[in-house]
Amino acid sequence: MRNLSLLTLVVLFFAACQSNSTQYKVSGTVAGLDSGIVYLVKAENGRPVTTDTTDLVNGAFSFEGSIAVPELHYLRLNAQDYFGQFFLENEKIEVTANIDSLQNTEITGSPSTDVFNKYLDEVQVMNENMKEYQQQYSAAMAAGNKDEMERIQFDAEATNDNMTVFAKNFVRENSTSVVAPFILLTQLSQQLEYVDLKELYDLFPAELAESPYMKQLTEMVETKGRTAVGVQAPEFTMNDVDGTPVSLSSFKGKYLLIDFWASWCGPCRRENPNVVEAYQKYKDKGFDILGVSLDRDKSAWLKGIEEDKLTWTHVSDLKYWQNEVAQLYGVSSIPHSVLLDKDGKIIAKNLRGEDLHKKLEELLN
């Protein structure tokens, strides 16, 4: 039994390779409901797309067909009663549901689902631990117990690290299963640096290459490879606040921080005083900053620059998350920064707070 809401945390997407069978048959029952319409749904670009429908007759339903590249599907009754998330593959799949507890729907006959459920069993335990830490932290904060708050935070961070280690090990141990690329894509790809991501990606056999999730991973590996520590930063040109083109190469000869931010980004604005302090301290020692804004409103962008006293060069195309430089550098969250040496080679990423000052002191003092 699996709770659907747990799965939605990891994204309603999945792909699997073909089995030896060329047809699937999904047979199911919904206890407590005699008639209705059952929808077979998959997620496409983050939106639910109905791929088939069938009648529920005397509490039973079935779907038959063939799928070239298996994908994660789920079932729906009425407008919003989603249940029975499973990997649709060319197998005989059985669904057992109850109208009063759709979250406890049982799925059998899908080997990929069986593998994934092993992963979810462990993740669910860790999620429960994290919820407990959150409750304990709130209680300690209400009581003003700072020592207890620090202890709980330490334990929570350790649990979060354990979740990452477990996910990486699961990918390694199940690298021939289609589950592994899914976990790497949805659970690990954003947080892993290029070397670690590539090491896991290279474990997957050639027969998984046609999975759309492998294709997404391939693109991500290529993007992270372009901006990995040790490589030459990709060249770009973008207009500054006056509409004048500014090229990355024009900053060669200085240590440069490419700072991705936006006026609407709270964490960015909170980090800005630290960046300002670093700039004022090291600007006369061969350090510079190039701000790349993901704003879409020019007046808000200019106001943010003025309010936070960001006196270095700024560029933007005002395309929000579609900012061309952000896409070139694979930026999926902000604040995000890339530190270059005098030759334009990437030497560090996402240095914040005291870490930024320590690195600049190491380089410039």
Side-chain angles (χ1 to χ4, degrees):
M1 295 182 290
R2 299 294 179 274
N3 190 318
L4 179 61
S5 63
L6 180 62
L7 286 172
T8 59
L9 294 176
V10 294
V11 181
L12 290 173
F13 277 134
F14 190 79
C17 61
Q18 285 184 282
S19 69
N20 292 328
S21 174
T22 59
Q23 297 286 318
Y24 65 77
K25 182 172 183 179
V26 180
S27 302
T29 59
V30 182
L33 186 66
D34 290 332
S35 62
I37 299 177
V38 181
Y39 299 81
L40 183 63
V41 184
K42 71 173 182 178
E44 192 171 277
N45 297 323
R47 298 178 180 275
V49 176
T50 299
T51 61
D52 201 356
T53 61
T54 190
D55 291 326
L56 182 71
V57 179
N58 296 324
F61 67 91
S62 67
F63 294 96
E64 294 186 32
S66 177
I67 185 166
V69 181
E71 297 177 73
L72 183 67
H73 282 65
Y74 48 103
L75 302 167
R76 194 186 87 211
L77 288 166
N78 307 316
Q80 58 186 10
D81 292 330
Y82 293 97
F83 69 104
Q85 190 166 254
F86 63 98
F87 304 133
L88 183 62
E89 47 194 334
N90 292 324
E91 303 283 354
K92 293 181 179 180
I93 300 172
E94 299 287 339
V95 180
T96 304
N98 188 302
I99 191 61
D100 295 325
S101 57
L102 290 176
Q103 72 274 15
N104 294 324
T105 295
E106 295 183 358
I107 308 287
T108 59
S110 167
S112 299
T113 304
D114 294 339
V115 174
F116 191 47
N117 283 342
K118 292 179 182 179
Y119 173 79
L120 288 181
D121 286 340
E122 185 68 23
V123 170
Q124 188 165 10
V125 172
M126 294 183 183
N127 282 339
E128 291 300 323
N129 290 339
M130 292 298 288
K131 290 179 183 178
E132 180 65 24
Y133 288 136
Q134 290 172 358
Q135 294 173 357
Q136 293 176 2
Y137 189 88
S138 296
M141 184 168 59
N145 191 335
K146 293 184 178 180
D147 290 340
E148 182 68 2
M149 290 168 62
E150 290 180 1
R151 182 195 66 79
I152 295 168
Q153 184 174 359
F154 179 83
D155 290 344
E157 290 174 353
T159 298
N160 189 63
D161 290 342
N162 288 340
M163 292 176 72
T164 299
V165 171
F166 169 72
K168 291 168 69 174
N169 287 338
F170 194 93
V171 169
R172 290 190 183 96
E173 294 165 4
N174 297 273
S175 60
T176 59
S177 168
V178 293
V179 176
F182 172 75
I183 294 175
L184 181 58
L185 176 65
T186 62
Q187 301 295 284
L188 295 169
S189 60
Q190 295 296 338
Q191 59 181 289
L192 293 181
E193 291 298 333
Y194 171 74
V195 173
D196 290 334
L197 178 64
K198 184 67 161 55
E199 182 263 322
L200 293 173
Y201 172 84
D202 286 343
L203 295 176
F204 303 140
E207 54 264 30
L208 297 181
E210 292 306 309
S211 160
Y213 302 96
M214 280 295 293
K215 293 177 180 178
Q216 291 182 58
L217 279 171
T218 299
E219 182 178 343
M220 185 169 292
V221 167
E222 291 174 352
T223 299
K224 289 205 172 191
R226 289 199 303 267
T227 58
V229 172
V231 306
Q232 195 74 19
E235 172 67 4
F236 63 84
T237 299
M238 186 166 281
N239 289 348
D240 66 10
V241 295
D242 298 318
T244 302
V246 175
S247 297
L248 177 64
S249 56
S250 65
F251 291 88
K252 281 191 176 182
K254 294 183 177 181
Y255 287 97
L256 178 71
L257 185 74
I258 306 175
D259 183 33
F260 294 89
W261 75 295
S263 66
W264 48 260
C265 169
C268 302
R269 303 295 294 270
R270 289 192 291 272
E271 176 65 13
N272 276 345
N274 180 66
V275 181
V276 170
E277 182 182 352
Y279 180 70
Q280 294 299 328
K281 186 175 181 180
Y282 294 104
K283 65 178 182 177
D284 295 328
K285 298 182 179 182
F287 173 64
D288 207 344
I289 300 175
L290 175 59
V292 180
S293 171
L294 275 65
D295 274 287
R296 51 186 168 186
D297 183 302
K298 186 172 183 178
S299 61
W301 174 35
L302 298 179
K303 183 179 179 182
I305 293 173
E306 181 180 3
E307 289 179 344
D308 292 359
K309 299 179 173 59
L310 312 180
T311 57
W312 48 83
T313 303
H314 294 269
V315 298
S316 181
D317 57 11
L318 300 176
K319 292 182 180 180
Y320 197 43
W321 284 107
Q322 284 68 50
N323 179 285
E324 292 180 6
V325 178
Q327 294 198 338
L328 176 65
Y329 278 71
V331 176
S332 59
S333 64
I334 51 175
H336 180 92
S337 64
V338 181
L339 182 63
L340 312 184
D341 68 9
K342 295 180 179 181
D343 297 319
K345 185 177 293 185
I346 297 173
I347 55 177
K349 299 172 72 174
N350 286 322
L351 295 173
R352 297 176 191 163
E354 188 61 27
D355 290 338
L356 176 60
H357 291 264
K358 288 180 179 179
K359 187 64 176 179
L360 291 176
E361 183 176 0
E362 170 192 326
L363 294 170
L364 298 171
N365 283 344

